[in-house]
Structures are given as structure tokens and as C-alpha cells.
Amino acid sequence: MAPKISLTRYLVEQQRADGTIPSQLRLLLEVVARACKSISLSVNKGALGGVLGTAGSENVQGEVQKKLDIIANDVLIEANEWGGHLAAMASEEMEGIHVIPNRYPQGEFLLLFDPLDGSSNIDVNVSIGTIFSVLRKPEGTGVSEQDFLQAGAKQVAAGYCVYGPQTTLVLTVGAGVAMFTLDREQGSFVLTQENVQIPQDTKEFAINMSNMRHWDAPVRRYIDECLEGTEGVRGKDFNMRWIASMVADVHRILTRGGVFMYPWDKREPEKPGKLRLMYEANPMSWLVEQAGGAASNGRQRILDIPPSKLHERVSVILGSKNEVERLVGYHQATGV
Ligand code: AHM
Ligand code: MG
């Protein structure tokens, strides 16, 4: 039987092979993985750990915070503060950036995260996760929010950990996508899939259909055609899945293909979308591209969007390449 490859060994071997992982980045990724392990334990305890329900507060986006949103945020901050690998962190759950306190050495990387994605699924025991993105701090002294405002193409690492029937960590450092499953007896993440590839075509889409009347014409056209199945222009039947945790929907797509959409809609026309660019769309888009898929807001590659603020929102279409390209074509055809 082939030996089990732990996340540590995988990172060391990547570092040796092509030097894409400097040692500070390797430490950073190991610390993030350790934090995810700790979050996974809290998630698993559920009601027994007193972690369910709301915290009675709101985040900067005006969303009610769940207890686990705050627990996961605190775990990630505490785990990453002291190692000397980071200059600052940013999170969905914090309005401003968290600069590494003076008592610790400052590193050269910036970490962004959605500590607990799919918050509405926590109390109903459906898969949720942690999404993270790593950027290099631009040259210069000090660190500010401006340093974080880099396009997704500048990421040096990205990933997520999904807390489902299994706890799975999915990672890219720009050399493909690898998946690691948490071995609870050993207490470590073990490599379970390398070189993940998303099929170019699919018969499965993920979108919140209850928003249909608010969508723009291109998305409506695409979904209408999927729903027509064998009787329409697509000539095949489609299946629909919507978990309402981006992390779980994207995990399904990385595993067996599909297209995920959270498009702009007319309810709040001034908002470009629901999902956040810097700690949701960017890391997921890079993972999807690294696995041979595509990610767009309908008009532009997500990874090329220059962010103007930390909590910027974006319209998201990602997954199997041919379907994403079709959707982009429909946007071009209507000029929206
Ligand atoms: P969250 O980060 O507060 O959990 O919100 C983001 C989530 C995504 O995971 C998911 O795709 C979407 O919101 C679900 O939205 P909806 O409530 O419309 O189903
Ligand atoms: Mg989220």
C-alpha cells in the first residue's frame, strides 16, 4: 500500500520540487489547516458544544452573526497572529483589517478569509466551510487596507475546508488543485486527490431559483434553456443542486463538474452581487481555474477585477468551462 501523504509532506515536496512555496507560506498554510481542524471539532460538537444559534450581533454587511461565525473567526485570528508569517488579516466578520500586533514579528503575507461560509446551514447540520486567500504584502513599511486591494490573479495560495460528512481541505498554490481529507485518528490532513480536473461539460447547475424574477436576461435565458431539457436548444436534461453554502456547491463542482451562479439581481441594483470578491469569489475562482474550469462575472474574468474595497461584492458564474463560456456569450449578446 502506498504511504499516506500528509499535508505537511505534500507542502515540503512542493517546496522542493518547484520552489513555489517559500517557507513562510508553508508555515502559513499549515497554521490555517490547524485552525480548520479546530473549527471542524467545534462544528462536530454542535448542540453539545453550545455552538449553535445566533450571537446576537451583526457584521459589517448587516448580516446576523452566528456563534460559529465568531468562534471560527477567533480561531483563525489567534492561530495566525504569532507565527511571524503574516503582516495582517481580513475577514468577512471584521469591518477593518487586523494588523499583527507589535509584540509579534511581521511577515510578508496577507491572509483573507470567510471563517464560516454557509452560516444559514450551521443549525440545520448541512455542510459549511472556511474559505481563504493569501496575497503577498506589497513592498513598503506598515500595512494598510490598500495593500489588500489586489486582483485575484495576484493570489499566492487559496483554498477552503468543507465541514461535511468528511472534513476536506482543498488547496492551490498555483500548481493544480489538491484535496486532503482529515484523518481524525491521526489528527492530520491526508492527500486524497491530486490534479483535480473539472469536466468541461455538465448537466448540472446551481443557482437560487427563488430569485429568478430578479435576474438579468442572459442568466434567465441560460436557465430557461436548461429547464427546457431535451425539448429545447440544449437537447439534454439538466439537474439542479443548491446547497446554499458556496463552499459545498463549489466542492461538488470540483468533484464532478457543474456550474454555480450567484448573479447580480434587480433587488439591490447598486450591489454587483451577493458574494464577496476578495474572500469568496477570488479564492474559489482560482481553484476552479486551476482545475481547468472558468470563473466570470458575466463580462470579465473574476481574477482580473481590481478590487476597490475589502468587502466588495461581485456577481459569480463559475465551474465547467463550456457552460461558463456559454453564459459569458449570452452576456455579450445582450450587451449587459
Ligand atoms: P455567508 O458567507 O454569510 O454564509 O453567505 C454566503 C452564502 C454562500 O455560501 C451561498 O452560496 C449563499 O450565501 C446562499 O445564499 P441564499 O441564501 O440566497 O441561498
Ligand atoms: Mg460566505
Side-chain angles (χ1 to χ4, degrees):
M1 211 173 80
K4 285 185 178 176
I5 298 185
S6 65
L7 175 67
T8 304
R9 178 169 167 186
Y10 173 86
L11 293 173
V12 168
E13 286 178 355
Q14 286 278 324
Q15 188 179 4
R16 272 195 212 129
D18 52 16
T20 48
I21 312 184
S23 51
Q24 273 206 3
L25 180 58
R26 182 158 67 79
L27 173 65
L28 192 169
L29 295 171
E30 294 225 42
V31 173
V32 169
R34 211 176 310 135
C36 290
K37 235 188 299 181
S38 162
I39 297 168
S40 169
L41 283 173
S42 295
V43 168
N44 285 162
K45 281 188 190 141
L48 297 178
V51 298
L52 303 185
T54 60
S57 49
E58 278 188 2
N59 65 13
V60 60
Q61 355 246 346
E63 298 159 344
V64 174
Q65 289 177 306
K66 296 284 176 69
K67 284 184 194 162
L68 262 175
D69 285 323
I70 295 179
I71 293 169
N73 195 64
D74 290 348
V75 166
L76 281 155
I77 298 278
E78 279 164 25
N80 282 286
E81 246 184 4
W82 47 268
H85 48 279
L86 285 178
M89 292 178 252
S91 160
E92 177 177 326
E93 304 304 335
M94 301 186 300
E95 183 166 2
I97 64 167
H98 178 91
V99 178
I100 300 300
N102 283 337
R103 60 184 180 278
Y104 303 121
Q106 276 213 358
E108 56 185 294
F109 293 102
L110 304 171
L111 175 66
L112 296 107
F113 45 83
D114 177 355
L116 223 283
D117 178 63
S119 308
S120 71
N121 280 327
I122 296 172
D123 295 351
V124 291
N125 200 2
V126 171
S127 294
I128 50 183
T130 298
I131 311 174
F132 60 92
S133 163
V134 184
L135 294 164
R136 199 179 285 280
K137 186 181 99 64
E139 298 281 311
T141 48
V143 57
S144 68
E145 187 169 319
Q146 189 63 32
D147 293 331
F148 282 82
L149 305 183
Q150 305 179 41
K154 292 272 179 67
Q155 291 171 107
V156 293
Y160 63 80
C161 187
V162 60
Y163 314 115
Q166 303 110 45
T167 291
T168 308
L169 183 86
V170 180
L171 178 69
T172 186
V173 288
V177 176
M179 293 188 179
F180 304 83
T181 305
L182 180 60
D183 180 334
R184 288 192 189 279
E185 277 108 66
Q186 300 289 332
S188 63
F189 282 100
V190 174
L191 181 67
T192 40
Q193 205 186 336
E194 242 182 319
N195 192 21
V196 173
Q197 289 295 315
I198 300 175
Q200 308 267 294
D201 294 298
T202 183
K203 290 172 146 185
E204 208 158 70
F205 65 86
I207 193 165
N208 184 342
M209 289 288 289
S210 68
N211 298 330
M212 190 167 201
R213 70 186 188 285
H214 306 297
W215 299 334
D216 239 344
V219 174
R220 207 156 173 154
R221 173 181 169 194
Y222 177 82
I223 295 297
D224 281 345
E225 290 176 0
C226 290
L227 297 179
E228 283 161 10
T230 50
E231 290 143 46
V233 292
R234 299 302 306 271
K236 60 181 183 183
D237 288 331
F238 280 77
N239 192 15
M240 194 201 88
R241 286 286 183 274
W242 183 249
I243 302 173
S245 295
M246 184 194 202
V247 79
D249 280 308
V250 170
H251 191 63
R252 185 189 57 254
I253 288 169
L254 280 168
T255 305
R256 69 174 189 210
V259 60
F260 170 93
M261 288 153 280
Y262 214 116
W264 174 90
D265 74 41
K266 294 179 192 125
R267 284 170 299 175
E268 292 179 281
E270 73 291 348
K271 276 191 194 160
K274 174 180 181 182
L275 297 176
R276 274 57 51 119
L277 174 63
M278 301 214 57
Y279 41 79
E280 292 178 321
N282 275 344
M284 294 312 207
S285 297
W286 198 30
L287 286 163
V288 164
E289 284 196 7
Q290 282 288 313
S296 168
N297 66 0
R299 275 155 252 101
Q300 193 178 8
R301 179 181 176 230
I302 285 179
L303 295 181
D304 287 336
I305 298 173
S308 54
K309 55 181 186 201
L310 207 52
H311 299 288
E312 181 163 333
R313 294 176 189 257
V314 67
S315 175
V316 175
I317 300 168
L318 58 77
S320 291
K321 199 169 192 172
N322 291 339
E323 296 302 307
V324 175
E325 282 174 0
R326 176 180 284 267
L327 271 147
V328 170
Y330 289 1
H331 281 79
Q332 282 162 352
T334 52
V336 295

